[in-house]
Amino acid sequence: MRALITGGAGFLGLHAANGFHQRGAEVELLDIAEIDPSEYPEGIVLHKVDVRDSEAMGKVVAHGRYDAIVHGAAALPLWKKEDIFTTNVDGTRRVLEAAVKHAVPRVVFIGSTAVYGVPEKHPIYEDDPLQGVGPYGESKILAERVCLEFREQGRCVPIIRPKTFIGPARLGIFQVLYDWANDGKRIPMIGKGDNRYQLLDVADLVEAIWLATTAELEAANDTFNVGAERFGTVREDLQALCDFAQSGARPAGFPAGPVKAILRMAEILKLSPLYKWIYATADRDSFVSVEKIKERLGWSARYSNAEALIRSYQWFLEHKSELQGASGITHRTAWNQGILKLFKRFM
């Protein structure tokens, strides 16, 4: 099986490339960013192409002889609004158009549970209402509509909606958590931390994508939630991380209303890396049903929330010295903590 992974230089792209290679697939990558070849299968091919570039996309797919495209390229919430919509919506259309033109039988679209907004009932099922929070959530809903257009034309376009996924090499907002835990700080929770917030280990996500890529077309051509099957409350899962860190770090709850107001102002003033989707849902239950993907594709989760957090934290400790002074806006880079660094002094 030959697969093209868009967004191949990103956190998911890295793990998907290695995971597919370990399962016997031939893999090529497509991204506008550079990669470190030592992190990927030997001899990996990277096409430096923007998914919004229809002509360039067509050239890559025309000569690739791909059995499937895993479309993971996306502009993340900290990007500019215009780039979020053009990359996530227009880019998805360009990928699907290229797949149709050059007879790629399947495109697996990596969506997000951000499409559900902030629902009142849990667990969340795939047919529940969609209401995106902010440009990122809205763009993912529109991108799914593009996928459904092509599915209605007879194409196989599985849609994967993962919960927030973490694991080795995951930084971004989680680097802030790991930094505070390592330094023995109180870990602030919005609210009491008695809500259940489901995460997902990237290894379990790669398994879900592999199954959606290789299962019979009829079974795979659907929309699937993916999330950890074992997770506690926010306080319980953070306490497990703190216990592992053995640094004196501990979870600490703060009143949700005032904290959200402060974070909203900090976001507007660009003083904090935390965007609305993070702090708006932090004190609420947030978990999805994974029964469909278990029944239809035979998927199951290997890691719990706590285990995924600890795996990711261990990688952070091993690579901490390499991260000093680096910052960016992707999941594979440390984020500038902004005003959070000031708060850290008092925690």
Side-chain angles (χ1 to χ4, degrees):
M1 198 267 285
R2 284 178 55 81
L4 176 68
I5 300 174
T6 73
F11 172 62
L12 177 57
L14 168 68
H15 286 275
N18 285 300
F20 273 43
H21 176 74
Q22 291 165 5
R23 291 167 172 82
E26 297 180 51
V27 180
E28 294 186 358
L29 310 176
L30 185 145
D31 208 310
I32 57 175
E34 295 287 353
I35 66 169
D36 178 352
S38 68
E39 297 180 315
Y40 290 81
E42 184 177 355
I44 195 77
V45 173
L46 170 66
H47 302 279
K48 288 288 294 294
V49 168
D50 191 318
V51 291
R52 295 171 290 187
D53 187 334
S54 180
E55 181 178 355
M57 273 297 311
K59 288 180 179 178
V60 171
V61 178
H63 300 289
R65 306 186 313 280
Y66 302 118
D67 300 299
I69 298 174
V70 175
H71 179 39
L76 300 176
L78 290 181
W79 293 35
K80 295 179 180 178
K81 182 177 180 179
E82 180 181 359
D83 287 332
I84 290 174
F85 279 98
T86 58
T87 301
N88 296 356
V89 184
D90 299 341
T92 297
R93 185 175 294 279
R94 301 290 89 80
V95 169
L96 286 162
E97 288 172 344
V100 170
K101 184 175 181 179
H102 300 290
V104 179
R106 187 178 323 206
V107 176
V108 179
F109 174 72
I110 311 303
S112 171
T113 53
V115 298
Y116 296 118
V118 187
E120 295 297 326
K121 66 101 177 169
H122 291 83
I124 309 166
Y125 293 89
E126 288 85 351
D127 58 358
D128 280 336
L130 306 185
Q131 184 177 358
V133 174
Y136 178 77
E138 294 167 4
S139 72
K140 282 296 190 177
I141 292 174
L142 294 175
E144 283 198 11
R145 290 177 184 171
V146 174
C147 293
L148 294 179
E149 285 180 30
F150 283 80
R151 196 187 285 175
E152 290 168 0
Q153 296 169 19
R155 310 299 301 180
C156 182
V157 190
I159 296 172
I160 302 292
R161 292 176 182 161
K163 287 294 293 178
T164 299
F165 51 94
I166 58 178
R170 173 65 195 258
L171 294 172
I173 189 58
F174 284 91
Q175 182 268 339
V176 179
L177 168 62
Y178 304 144
D179 175 62
W180 288 36
N182 186 54
D183 286 349
K185 299 295 183 178
R186 289 184 296 165
I187 309 298
M189 300 179 299
I190 299 178
K192 297 179 180 179
D194 55 4
N195 57 306
R196 301 179 69 206
Y197 201 106
Q198 181 185 34
L199 299 172
L200 173 65
D201 192 285
V202 68
D204 289 330
L205 175 54
V206 169
E207 175 65 11
I209 297 168
W210 174 256
L211 292 171
T213 305
T214 57
E216 294 293 331
L217 294 180
E218 186 175 349
N221 200 18
D222 208 332
T223 300
F224 302 99
N225 291 332
V226 189
E229 295 184 78
R230 292 176 289 125
F231 54 98
T233 64
V234 170
R235 180 178 291 276
E236 289 169 341
D237 289 331
L238 284 178
Q239 187 63 58
L241 174 64
C242 292
D243 290 345
F244 180 84
Q246 295 183 329
S247 63
R250 64 190 189 280
F254 292 86
V259 172
K260 288 184 180 183
I262 292 170
L263 290 174
R264 176 58 178 160
M265 183 59 65
E267 180 188 14
I268 292 172
L269 297 175
K270 301 187 184 304
L271 298 176
S272 167
L274 300 182
Y275 46 89
K276 187 176 181 181
W277 168 245
I278 293 176
Y279 58 77
T281 62
D283 62 329
R284 294 171 172 262
D285 284 340
S286 182
F287 55 95
V288 299
S289 167
V290 296
E291 290 308 308
K292 183 194 281 189
I293 194 168
K294 287 169 65 69
E295 293 173 3
R296 294 282 294 274
L297 302 185
W299 175 88
S300 62
R302 177 180 176 184
Y303 296 101
S304 68
N305 267 17
E307 291 164 343
L309 284 166
I310 290 169
R311 271 189 6 112
S312 192
Y313 178 69
Q314 287 175 305
W315 185 93
F316 166 80
L317 292 179
E318 293 167 3
H319 297 269
K320 184 182 176 184
S321 62
E322 305 165 19
L323 306 175
Q324 301 299 324
S327 66
I329 56 173
T330 72
H331 291 326
R332 291 208 63 197
T333 57
W335 288 0
N336 185 339
Q337 295 192 32
I339 198 171
L340 300 182
K341 188 175 291 186
L342 176 62
F343 292 158
K344 180 184 176 185
R345 296 180 183 178
F346 300 97
M347 300 300 290

